[in-house]
Each structure stands twice: as C-alpha cells, then as structure tokens.
C-alpha cells in the first residue's frame, strides 16, 4: 500500500521491526515509573532536542494529541483572551475549542493566498496568539509572524506545527509554544503529540497556576522534570519515537530534501499538466511565498479530480481528499519524510497516464 494521506500518514517501514523489538524487549509491559521508562523518555526528549535543533531551555512534553494541546493552551496558558489568526479548517477548529474554555476569543481570518505581513491586526491585548504554521487543510504555511510579535509583545505565541514539525526547520525562538502530533511528519502511528514550551511559556503557566485538570501544564511539567508522565503513557509510542528519531539526519538535511521534493512536484505538474487555471492541474495556492512544503494541494476540474482519484485507487495509492469547500476540486499529497522516492515515482507514473489520456482526447 502506498499512501500520501496527510495524516495519519505513511509510517517509516522500519517501524515494523521496532514493533517486534519492543515486544521482545518487554517494553510493552514496563512500569511507567520505572527507571527503564524514565530512561526511554529521557532518550526520546534528548533526541528531539538534538535532531530537531530545539533549544535546550525549551521544555518538551508528551501529550496524547495536538487537539489536547489546544485544550492545554486554553486551560493552563490563557487567562482571559486568546487571538486566533487562521486561514483554514485546523486554525478554525482550534478557535472553536478555545471558545468553550477561554472567556474571550477573537478570530481573525485571512485568505489562503494572503501573507501575514499585510494583515490589519486588532488593537487588543490578548494573553495568547494562536497560529497554524502549516495549514493541512489547504496547503499553506506561515514563516514570518514578526508583525504579530511586535503588535502583541506580552502575548505568548502558540504555533500548531502538526503537519510540519520534523519535516522542515522551525525557528523555535520565534514562538513560545509549539506542538505537533506524531502521525504526520514524524512518520509514526497516531496517538501522541509533542509539546514544546519556551521559558516564557512556563513562567506564564506558573503565574496562572492552573492545577484543576489531570492535564494541567504544571502537573505535566512536574512529572516531566523526573522524566515521568502525568498518566500511564503509551510507552510503545515513546519507544518508536526514540528509535525512529535516532535514525534521522539533522533537521536541516531533512528540510533540504523536503524542499527539493516540493519544488520537484511543482515542476513536474508544470511540465506535464499545463499549469493554467483553466485546464489540467495546478497548485491550489498560487502564491509561492505561502505555499506549504509538506502538504501539497493540487487543484483541477472536478471531473479530472474524480478521474484521478479513481485511477489512484485502482493503483493502490491513497492521496488526501480535498478539504471542505475544496472537496471536489483538489486532492492533497503529503510530502512527509517517511515517503520514499519510489512512492513518489509510482504516483507520478499514475499521473502521467492521466496526462496522456487528457491530451489524446
Ligand atoms: C492533524 C492536525 C491536527 C490534529 O491532530 P490530532 O493528533 O488529531 O489532534 C491539528 N492541527 C493540524 C494543523 C493538523 O494537521
């Protein structure tokens, strides 16, 4: 099976072997307060710092999902007001989760082709500003949010990097909270998320002092300084994370490969599919400055998209459906590190068959 689904996505093939090793090593039954488990947690955290170049003074926690981090943000890091700046479905969902918990939520929507630099920012004093680095639903990304940082100097900046962390380099110092679940660029089975906090974020958690919930950030933090967790964790997920990370090159190297692959995909489409908005296939996002490197959204006429999806299915290749309003006019291709060049070749071959049919007709 070949999958380009943007989450849950392809896991590294070596996971098969590590699953067996975990079983034989007895990892699946170890006590979560044992030294062995603490060592495992420590190894995984050290590898995250090392491989993803996360600053040493930023703390790392294992959470069950990105969705749970949305709630932790609202419960433990927001006193009164959170501002959500988004252009797609995941950013919008985050705002909806915050609205159930946070007294005041401001939504600021921008267009997928728009860059943050041109936004007019409300004259508020939010505790937290929430941004989605890579919007998985439409294939856009943001890199430069300096205008936001300048406008709200006291606010914490929280970044959902679920579909980009471990795929591209992230400028950790430019935000206070970062998070991602592991079923996207980490190439692992779903069920765990990584949350990264700056010293400023941690100080804010202590100032707020939330201890009402099992997943209050302070409880989580107190456990993690001992390399323990706030509940019995999925030890297998921690094990797989450590094993798979150990094999990875530094993130700068991964980034180069992912970038080159993205450029190659766009070049391929331009060459074979006549990148125009009236025929063939073209990137949904035309503004290269905001186009995602890790989730490519390809648009075309609904009849062509339907025909393609059918072909992919026959060939045993899964791609991502279009999201929401783009359901019938786009499909999405994950450009995640676990996807091999052979997988990409197979998908390109299927696309080329369509291209011949199109142009013969
Ligand atoms: C997939 C995704 C999520 C949700 O992740 P879960 O692990 O299901 O909670 C959140 N944000 C973005 C940007 C995503 O791509």
């Amino acid at each position: 099976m070949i999958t380009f689904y943007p989450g849950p996505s392809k896991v590294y093939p070596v996971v098969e072997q590590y699953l067996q090793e975990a079983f034989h090593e007895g990892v699946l039954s170890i006590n979560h307060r044992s030294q062995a488990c603490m060592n495992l947690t420590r190894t995984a955290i050290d590898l995250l710092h090392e491989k993803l170049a996360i600053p040493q003074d930023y703390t790392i926690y294992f959470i069950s999902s990105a969705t749970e981090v949305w709630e932790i943000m609202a419960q433990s890091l927001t006193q009164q007001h959170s501002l959500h700046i988004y252009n797609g479905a995941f950013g919008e969902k985050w705002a909806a989760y915050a609205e159930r918990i946070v007294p005041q939520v401001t939504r600021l929507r921008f267009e997928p082709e728009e860059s943050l630099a041109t936004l007019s920012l409300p004259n508020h004093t939010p505790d937290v500003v929430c941004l989605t680095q890579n919007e998985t639903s439409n294939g856009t990304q943001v890199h430069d949010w300096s205008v936001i940082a300048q406008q709200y100097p006291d606010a914490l900046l929280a970044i959902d990097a679920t579909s980009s962390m471990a795929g591209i380099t992230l400028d950790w110092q430019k935000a206070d909270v970062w998070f991602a679940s592991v079923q996207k660029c980490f190439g692992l089975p779903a069920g765990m998320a990584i949350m990264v906090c700056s010293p400023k974020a941690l100080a804010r958690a202590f100032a707020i002092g939330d201890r009402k919930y099992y997943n209050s950030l302070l409880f989580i933090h107190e456990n993690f300084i001992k390399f323990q967790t706030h509940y019995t964790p999925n030890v297998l997920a921690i094990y797989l994370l450590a094993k798979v990370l150990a094999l990875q090159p530094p993130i700068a190297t991964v980034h180069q490969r992912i970038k080159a692959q993205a450029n190659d995909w766009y070049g391929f489409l331009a060459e074979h599919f006549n990148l125009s908005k009236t025929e063939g296939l073209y990137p949904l996002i035309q503004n290269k400055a905001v186009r995602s490197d890790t989730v490519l959204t390809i648009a075309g006429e609904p009849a062509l998209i339907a025909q393609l999806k059918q072909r992919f299915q026959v060939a045993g290749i899964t791609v991502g459906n279009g999201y929401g309003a783009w359901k019938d006019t786009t499909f999405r291709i994950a450009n995640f590190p676990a996807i091999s060049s052979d997988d990409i070749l197979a998908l390109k071959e299927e696309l080329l068959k369509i291209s011949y049919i199109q142009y013969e007709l």
Side-chain angles (χ1 to χ4, degrees):
M1 188 189 89
I2 298 178
T3 180
F4 290 85
Y5 206 84
S9 51
K10 182 178 175 179
V11 298
Y12 283 102
V14 71
V15 164
E16 182 180 3
Q17 177 196 328
Y18 292 148
L19 285 171
Q20 289 195 349
E21 284 180 22
F23 185 89
H24 289 296
E25 287 172 20
V27 166
L28 303 184
S29 309
I30 58 172
N31 185 299
H32 64 295
R33 308 271 175 224
S34 67
Q35 193 60 47
C37 194
M38 291 192 285
N39 290 347
L40 192 57
T41 300
R42 185 183 191 132
T43 302
I45 288 175
D46 287 349
L47 281 164
L48 283 165
H49 279 291
E50 179 197 330
K51 300 288 182 167
L52 302 188
I54 298 173
Q56 282 305 326
D57 61 345
Y58 277 48
T59 44
I60 297 176
Y61 310 103
F62 300 148
I63 310 294
S64 65
S65 67
T67 304
E68 191 188 356
V69 181
W70 291 342
E71 285 213 345
I72 293 171
M73 285 303 310
Q75 288 167 182
S76 295
L77 288 168
T78 316
Q79 222 143 14
Q80 183 62 33
H81 182 185
S82 71
L83 167 62
H84 296 253
I85 303 176
Y86 60 87
N87 71 6
F90 284 100
E92 183 169 21
K93 242 185 178 175
W94 186 358
Y97 273 79
E99 271 162 358
R100 298 189 202 125
I101 296 170
V102 174
Q104 187 186 354
V105 168
T106 303
R107 292 167 174 244
L108 178 60
R109 215 190 151 93
F110 63 103
E111 292 303 316
E113 298 279 356
E114 203 178 344
S115 100
L116 292 177
T118 58
L119 280 188
S120 84
L121 296 169
N123 212 356
H124 290 160
T125 49
D127 302 306
V128 181
V129 181
C130 303
L131 273 177
T132 306
Q133 195 279 323
N134 194 75
E135 180 47 77
T136 319
S137 67
N138 56 25
T140 57
Q141 64 178 337
V142 293
H143 284 297
D144 183 359
W145 46 83
S146 47
V147 283
I148 293 167
Q150 277 157 21
Q151 173 83 0
Y152 310 111
D154 297 329
L156 294 180
L157 274 168
I159 312 287
D160 181 342
T162 300
S163 53
S164 55
M165 188 188 292
I168 60 169
T169 53
L170 298 170
D171 205 345
W172 302 103
Q173 308 278 4
K174 295 245 164 75
D176 300 295
V177 179
W178 297 84
F179 56 91
S181 30
V182 297
Q183 74 272 21
K184 312 237 168 131
C185 286
F186 284 90
L188 291 166
M192 190 166 86
I194 316 290
M195 181 180 186
V196 180
C197 290
S198 72
K200 179 177 166 180
L202 203 56
R204 184 72 57 90
F206 278 105
I208 291 174
D210 162 51
R211 292 172 178 281
K212 286 206 287 283
Y213 309 99
Y214 86 99
N215 60 354
S216 290
L217 185 56
L218 294 179
F219 285 148
I220 299 176
H221 178 72
E222 283 156 11
N223 277 283
F224 268 82
I225 40 184
K226 297 177 286 182
F227 297 103
Q228 294 186 4
T229 48
H230 49 303
Y231 59 96
T232 315
N234 183 343
V235 178
L236 177 61
I238 301 172
Y239 177 88
L240 293 177
L241 175 67
K243 286 288 185 184
V244 164
L245 278 174
L247 293 180
Q248 299 304 308
I251 189 66
T253 309
V254 177
H255 178 100
Q256 273 181 356
R257 189 189 125 214
I258 292 300
K259 263 269 185 295
Q261 271 175 200
N263 288 337
D264 187 57
W265 264 120
Y266 292 123
F268 171 85
L269 291 172
E271 185 182 343
H272 298 283
F273 289 93
N274 207 7
L275 273 190
S276 84
K277 280 215 162 197
T278 49
E279 63 176 314
L281 296 170
Y282 54 93
L284 174 72
I285 305 302
Q286 297 285 307
N287 178 0
K288 287 184 186 166
V290 302
R291 204 184 264 170
S292 168
D293 295 315
T294 50
V295 179
L296 317 186
T297 306
I298 314 298
E301 287 297 311
L304 176 58
I305 299 293
Q307 193 187 2
L308 280 171
K309 282 189 194 157
Q310 204 172 6
R311 276 211 163 244
F312 297 157
Q313 203 176 4
V314 171
I317 299 175
T318 305
V319 297
N321 287 324
Y323 216 97
W326 297 291
K327 191 170 181 300
D328 297 326
T329 53
T330 66
F331 64 93
R332 290 172 302 153
I333 302 175
N335 183 30
F336 295 163
I339 293 166
S340 69
S341 48
D342 283 350
D343 295 343
I344 294 173
L345 213 60
L347 180 56
K348 282 184 175 169
E349 270 172 21
E350 285 309 310
L351 278 161
L352 284 176
K353 286 182 197 164
I354 288 279
S355 134
Y356 297 139
I357 292 166
Q358 276 283 106
Y359 297 117
E360 276 164 20
L361 285 176

